[in-house]
Amino acid sequence: MEVQLRENVELTEMEKKIFERLRKVLCHFNLPTQLRVAGGWVRDKLLGKDCSDIDIALDNMLGRKFCDKVNEYLENTGEKSQGVGVIQCNPNQSKHLETARMRIFDVWVDFVNLRSETYAEHSRIPSMRFGTAKEDAYRRDLTINSLFYNINTGSVEDLTGRGISDLKAGIIATPLPPKDTFLDDPLRVLRAVRFGARFGFKLDDEIKKAAADEEVKAALASKVSRERIGHEIDVMVSGNGPIKAINQIEELQLFWTIFCLPQNLGAKLPQDCERVCVTSLKALSEVLGKVGFSTLNDDHRRLSFYGALFLPLRKTKYADRKGKLIPVANAIIRDSLKLKANDAEMVISLHNAGEEFFGLNELLIAGKLVVNSSTSINVKDDLGISLTSMQRVQTGFLLMKIKALWRAAVLLSTLIKYPVSEFPELLDGKAVEKRASLYTSIENSVLQLGLEDVWDMKRLLDGKDIMNVLGLETGGPQVKEW
């Protein structure tokens, strides 16, 4: 593939103001410092995309020292100084550089020194020193992220000699041998996957080989914090190309390294379970493509993707320290990815609601009441409740539990009704059509019943009304039953 690049970096008016201010700081203190915008900002500018992340590399001072100079300049010119935040380095977690951060014209700008590093024998923690721009470029994760924009000269610098050519060719490659690059910071494996998926670029064959290396996988599992891994996965799932990204992780044999299973599993996972998980995610994306991606907002789509990815694991549980059986998906999201506890709870709620919608299919679409283990319906034949009322009551109760996520739950129910194990090839348009048709039918039924916002409706009766009718002064089980 050939990617169209801009010949020059085009600055916004705000960027011109920021860079001019920084040059004035250099001039005011007569500093010989070269200021370079690094990495993703340069890449995105050449691709014709906007980028709000301005990371500036300094060739002869620490970021916090330069931020102090900026504040000193502001005070000398009668302006208000800005707070400076400093993120300390943590080599044990592959965070090798101290980063300083401050607002300039109300825009956050990060400052860090150029680096070079050497390793002592038998150690993967480097000794850091100030480096040249070329040395720093070769320590970057990917060639397309190794480009600099020199603020002093207003020019793009491709010091590896590959950044622009790989960007044009749509190739994800590393400046140094990929295994060395990944052992330096194993999270770079996931960054390579994410950028490949985001831009639709191809991973270099040497990257694929290094990513599947057992030493690299072990380093990824032990050297990088689960929070950093979870953040990288969450950015993938929320961004462009999540299906391609997760599929690439599986193909690189990294699935269980990333999505670690807890101990004390209640059952052995079926063979090729990771492939079924990825296929389930693809299937959901195919259905969304049919019914419209705008069906879900960004966060609901993110949760539905996690829900589909772990749907094949929904009946697999593990025993916690107290012996309580917990869904495996909960442990993966909370402990392996270190995402919010609410994310884990929402995914499990989606699985449960998807099962219940599956149980309600016949009632909603065919008008038949089918009671099975997937539903919460408990009804006696002599209640004399009309079919429409039964549809409203049972569907309404389910929607009140899952609330605004109900469309995501309906999507998952289509994968339960037509599981991917029966349609292993997603090119089977018949499977996609069946799932999309089922989704549309259930959605239309909910809308026709006027239940789409039922959780916000004022209830016809509440506990206080029932207590009044029964002549009770306090609530209790009897009120709950009524």
Side-chain angles (χ1 to χ4, degrees):
M1 67 182 294
E2 184 172 347
V3 180
Q4 295 297 317
L5 300 184
R6 289 185 174 177
E7 291 185 6
N8 300 299
V9 167
E10 297 181 10
L11 302 179
T12 65
E13 290 303 314
M14 179 57 73
E15 288 164 347
K16 290 177 183 177
K17 286 178 63 178
I18 292 171
F19 296 167
E20 179 59 26
R21 167 144 292 179
L22 296 178
R23 283 192 290 266
K24 286 181 177 179
V25 172
L26 295 179
C27 183
H28 181 83
F29 294 104
N30 197 26
L31 297 175
T33 306
Q34 292 285 312
L35 302 176
R36 293 177 171 90
V37 189
W41 183 91
V42 189
R43 176 201 67 225
D44 288 352
K45 285 290 184 178
L46 293 176
L47 289 170
K49 303 175 183 294
D50 291 328
C51 184
S52 59
D53 294 329
I54 301 177
D55 301 320
I56 295 180
L58 309 157
D59 65 343
N60 64 356
M61 70 169 65
L62 294 173
R64 56 187 161 84
K65 293 288 187 183
F66 186 78
C67 289
D68 290 341
K69 288 294 185 184
V70 174
N71 274 331
E72 189 177 343
Y73 171 82
L74 292 176
E75 291 169 358
N76 288 340
T77 56
E79 297 183 56
K80 184 179 179 182
S81 62
Q82 298 291 319
V84 177
V86 177
I87 303 171
Q88 300 293 339
C89 61
N90 183 359
N92 289 319
Q93 293 295 341
S94 297
K95 179 73 175 74
H96 300 314
L97 291 175
E98 175 189 285
T99 303
R101 173 169 241 235
M102 72 182 304
R103 283 184 180 273
I104 300 177
F105 292 118
D106 211 33
V107 174
W108 283 110
V109 181
D110 288 354
F111 296 88
V112 67
N113 60 283
L114 294 172
R115 67 170 173 144
S116 181
E117 55 199 35
T118 55
Y119 291 87
E121 190 176 0
H122 307 307
S123 173
R124 288 308 307 169
I125 298 178
S127 299
M128 305 300 301
R129 64 174 176 82
F130 283 104
T132 65
K134 187 171 184 176
E135 287 174 325
D136 188 275
Y138 273 95
R139 298 309 309 173
R140 298 278 164 173
D141 56 356
L142 304 171
T143 55
I144 63 171
N145 294 336
S146 68
L147 299 165
F148 291 114
Y149 175 78
N150 190 313
I151 293 175
N152 299 53
T153 63
S155 60
V156 173
E157 298 173 339
D158 183 5
L159 301 177
T160 68
R162 290 191 57 182
I164 291 176
S165 61
D166 284 347
L167 197 56
K168 280 183 177 178
I171 293 175
I172 298 295
T174 55
L176 294 174
K179 184 174 178 180
D180 293 343
T181 297
F182 293 158
L183 289 176
D184 174 23
D185 182 357
L187 192 70
R188 290 171 170 176
V189 175
L190 297 186
R191 287 176 59 81
V193 169
R194 174 162 66 85
F195 283 115
R198 175 181 171 184
F199 296 117
F201 288 2
K202 179 184 176 183
L203 261 62
D204 181 75
D205 288 340
E206 290 300 311
I207 275 189
K208 293 180 182 179
K209 181 179 177 182
D213 184 273
E214 290 301 321
E215 188 179 358
V216 171
K217 286 199 284 187
L220 181 59
S222 63
K223 188 177 178 183
V224 183
S225 71
R226 300 313 302 187
E227 286 83 0
R228 291 182 73 205
I229 289 174
H231 173 74
E232 201 65 36
I233 294 297
D234 208 41
V235 173
M236 285 184 201
V237 171
S238 304
N240 296 331
I243 315 305
K244 181 178 179 180
I246 302 300
N247 185 63
Q248 188 80 74
I249 286 172
E250 192 274 330
E251 288 182 352
L252 294 173
Q253 303 173 39
L254 292 170
F255 193 87
W256 298 121
T257 301
I258 304 303
F259 306 111
C260 299
L261 293 169
Q263 297 179 348
N264 303 322
L265 282 182
K268 186 178 180 181
L269 295 179
Q271 190 175 7
D272 296 328
C273 181
E274 63 270 35
R275 172 47 41 187
V276 177
C277 288
V278 175
T279 307
S280 176
L281 176 59
K282 289 181 179 178
L284 183 88
S285 181
E286 292 282 343
V287 178
L288 266 178
K290 280 286 184 183
V291 302
F293 278 90
S294 60
T295 299
L296 305 178
N297 66 33
D298 290 346
D299 193 53
H300 290 180
R301 185 163 55 249
R302 179 183 72 93
L303 290 170
S304 73
F305 281 165
Y306 282 121
L309 180 64
F310 301 128
L311 190 68
L313 302 174
R314 69 189 183 280
K315 294 183 179 178
T316 305
K317 299 181 185 296
Y318 77 102
D320 67 7
R321 293 177 181 176
K322 297 181 180 179
K324 183 180 179 181
L325 293 179
I326 307 293
V328 162
N330 185 297
I332 294 175
I333 295 170
R334 294 186 65 164
D335 302 329
S336 181
L337 300 181
K338 294 294 184 181
L339 299 183
K340 294 181 293 186
N342 187 59
D343 285 345
E345 292 165 6
M346 287 297 98
V347 168
I348 301 307
S349 294
L350 281 175
H351 287 171
N352 294 336
E355 292 275 10
E356 291 199 47
F357 269 118
F358 169 63
L360 283 172
N361 284 344
E362 294 293 329
L363 176 62
L364 280 173
I365 298 171
K368 299 175 183 177
L369 180 59
V370 179
V371 181
N372 57 41
S373 60
S374 299
T375 74
S376 60
I377 296 174
N378 183 13
V379 62
K380 297 180 181 178
D381 293 335
D382 59 354
L383 285 180
I385 299 175
S386 71
L387 177 62
T388 301
S389 292
M390 181 60 71
Q391 289 173 327
R392 279 187 60 81
V393 168
Q394 298 302 330
T395 307
F397 277 136
L398 176 51
L399 265 62
M400 287 170 70
K401 284 194 290 186
I402 196 66
K403 298 183 179 178
L405 276 169
W406 68 269
R407 284 186 170 88
V410 173
L411 283 167
L412 293 187
S413 78
T414 70
L415 302 185
I416 296 171
K417 174 72 173 177
Y418 302 111
V420 294
S421 57
E422 295 181 16
F423 301 95
E425 297 298 328
L426 284 177
L427 294 177
D428 182 356
K430 184 178 178 182
V432 179
E433 289 292 343
K434 281 187 173 183
R435 294 177 186 127
S437 176
L438 177 60
Y439 171 85
T440 301
S441 296
I442 296 176
E443 182 186 45
N444 287 340
S445 296
V446 171
L447 297 178
Q448 288 168 7
L449 290 169
L451 294 172
E452 64 269 29
D453 297 314
V454 66
W455 55 92
D456 288 330
M457 294 180 184
K458 186 178 185 305
R459 302 194 184 195
L460 298 180
L461 281 175
D462 61 20
K464 188 176 292 185
D465 296 326
I466 294 172
M467 287 167 59
N468 289 337
V469 171
L470 297 178
L472 299 175
E473 293 184 1
T474 59
Q478 190 177 8
V479 174
K480 180 181 177 182
E481 183 69 20
W482 277 99

